[in-house]
Amino acid sequence: MISVAEALEQLFALVEEVDSEIVPLRNAAGRVLAKDAVAARTQPPFAASAMDGYALRATEVEPDAMFKVIGEAAAGHAFDGRVGPGQCARIFTGAPVPEGADQVVLQEDVTRRGDLITLGHKVEAKSNIRPAGGDFETGDTLKAPRVLSPSDIALLASMNIAEVPVARAPTVAIVATGDELVAPGEDPGPDQIIASNSYGLAALLEKHGATCRLLPIARDTEESLTAVLELAASADLIITIGGASVGDHDLVAPVAEKMGMERAFYKVAMRPGKPLMAGRLGAAAMVGLPGNPVSAMVCGTIFVVPLLRAMLGLGRAAAPRRRMQLAQALSPNGPREHYMRACITAEGLIAFDRQDSSLLSILSSADALLVRPPHAPAQPIGALVEYIDL
């Protein structure tokens, strides 16, 4: 068996970054920016008022000063004239500041009668003007790579960028294996269960930028598994679930090797998830996950999501870990790195008492994987431990 860190390094060696494509800005949210985006304009493109008020000369601002209103500026409608001595222009938020003016006095600090205004006794010294280019200027960049957030989309729009270069979504073919499986909505026989892993993994990987194809369930025959794996030939990444161990019905490794798979490793010193296999099948990387539901989902988080991020150009790194105090003591750990389902509480982390790898209800209730190193000693309440967000 190899360590989790060694398995990750060998997985990263199996993949390359995907190519890029151009998509409309409207479809770019959540995608990975593949190249730096360059602003096509300055924002704001002119000095703009930050408040509703009156634009005038700052050197003339003093208590009880009077000014003549010579025009009006609103957002989208500039005042064409020039503000001279003793003059002002009515101005609204977002409007261009007229030539000659360098301060906006708030409307609540002014008394107006007809075309004359009188300043109050306490006028703030702020200019209340947003300078041209105060946000960004033509040629400024939004750096790649990055997952485009809603705020990034707003920024790109203000940069006047209508089409965005993004990493192509990697295609992931997901193959569930086993005579015991039927699809959700079907009537299982007395010895069958519902195939849940492929649906959970597809949701996990699509959340992180993949396009997933759920292939037909492969039965426990060489012919069935071969036929389904042939359907996955065009994928960037092939994920098989179950059948990766060494039992009489575990056919994934021998069938894939007959089809030309170059195996990178088999078995990882972790729980849940020891029977993990990886290699290349044709042009695709291939990862064989355990069949137990929690094992498959945990391995998806620990291995497949970082692999997917590497393919998207987001770096080659393990799932980020945080540290938190324990709110409940832990007993000693065994020889394998243990990823325990846990909950984050106000007092700290609490691992669930039941950690069996078949219990999806526990995984659904968890919001963290508490990481126990191999042979970790017992830990008291208050001890700092590492965890991975779910």
Side-chain angles (χ1 to χ4, degrees):
M1 286 190 291
I2 62 175
S3 69
V4 170
E6 290 171 320
L8 265 175
E9 286 303 310
Q10 294 194 41
L11 280 169
F12 289 145
L14 296 175
V15 298
E16 297 178 351
E17 293 182 17
V18 295
D19 52 358
S20 63
E21 61 184 1
I22 303 296
V23 300
L25 178 62
R26 184 66 182 84
N27 299 333
R31 302 292 297 273
V32 175
L33 184 67
K35 299 176 183 176
D36 293 352
V38 181
R41 61 175 283 139
T42 293
Q43 178 65 22
F46 44 76
S49 178
M51 298 287 183
D52 293 345
Y54 292 86
L56 41 72
R57 296 183 175 201
T59 56
E60 298 182 320
V61 173
E62 60 182 44
D64 300 320
M66 297 183 67
F67 299 85
K68 182 178 181 180
V69 181
I70 61 170
E72 181 176 292
H77 301 280
F79 172 61
D80 292 334
R82 177 183 178 85
V83 174
Q87 297 177 332
C88 68
R90 180 71 165 114
I91 195 166
F92 297 93
T93 303
V97 176
E99 185 180 352
D102 57 3
Q103 183 170 340
V104 173
V105 175
L106 307 187
Q107 61 185 15
E108 51 264 40
D109 293 335
V110 168
T111 301
R112 179 169 180 172
R113 293 182 180 88
D115 289 339
L116 293 177
I117 65 167
T118 303
L119 304 188
H121 291 288
K122 294 182 180 179
V123 178
E124 61 178 18
K126 287 176 60 179
S127 72
N128 296 308
I129 292 173
R130 297 173 179 140
D135 194 358
F136 56 83
E137 296 184 347
T138 301
D140 285 352
T141 59
L142 180 64
K143 294 294 184 180
R146 62 192 293 139
V147 179
L148 291 171
S149 69
S151 297
D152 292 333
I153 298 299
L155 176 57
L156 290 169
S158 66
M159 288 178 164
N160 202 23
I161 294 173
E163 295 183 320
V164 187
V166 296
R168 176 179 60 81
T171 302
V172 181
I174 299 178
V175 181
T177 70
D179 287 344
E180 75 277 15
L181 300 177
V182 298
E186 295 182 6
D187 292 324
D191 303 321
Q192 291 183 305
I193 58 173
I194 307 299
S196 59
N197 297 346
S198 50
Y199 289 84
L201 282 165
L204 174 66
L205 302 184
E206 286 174 348
K207 177 182 176 182
H208 289 277
T211 296
C212 292
R213 294 163 46 204
L214 266 61
L215 298 184
I217 295 170
R219 300 305 169 188
D220 290 328
T221 66
E222 183 175 332
E223 295 75 19
S224 176
L225 184 54
T226 300
V228 176
L229 287 176
E230 286 175 346
L231 295 175
S234 62
D236 298 301
L237 175 62
I238 301 170
I239 304 292
T240 62
I241 308 166
S245 192
V246 292
D248 292 342
H249 299 284
D250 294 317
L251 301 175
V252 171
V255 168
E257 286 173 349
K258 267 191 178 181
M259 297 176 70
M261 183 190 74
E262 303 168 15
R263 190 192 297 191
F265 66 83
Y266 170 61
K267 288 189 180 180
V268 180
M270 66 180 292
R271 55 184 293 226
K274 181 177 73 171
L276 186 82
M277 179 192 70
R280 289 196 66 85
L281 182 58
M286 180 174 174
V287 180
L289 300 181
N292 277 327
V294 175
S295 301
M297 293 298 291
V298 168
C299 288
T301 299
I302 303 303
F303 296 111
V304 186
V305 170
L307 191 63
L308 187 62
R309 288 178 59 83
M311 296 170 75
L312 288 166
L314 293 171
R316 296 170 180 250
R321 296 186 181 187
R322 304 175 186 271
R323 290 170 68 84
M324 183 177 285
Q325 291 184 336
L326 285 174
Q328 181 175 287
L330 291 174
S331 57
N333 188 35
R336 290 184 282 159
E337 193 164 77
H338 193 184
Y339 294 84
M340 304 181 73
R341 284 150 284 170
C343 278
I344 299 171
T345 71
E347 293 75 30
L349 273 177
I350 298 177
F352 285 91
D353 292 333
R354 298 193 299 160
Q355 292 289 329
D356 188 277
S357 59
S358 67
L359 302 177
L360 278 175
S361 59
I362 301 297
L363 182 64
S364 178
S365 300
D367 49 20
L369 291 175
L370 194 164
V371 184
R372 305 292 316 280
H375 305 291
Q379 295 292 318
I381 292 174
L384 277 176
V385 293
E386 290 189 326
Y387 72 95
I388 295 169
D389 278 321
L390 287 178

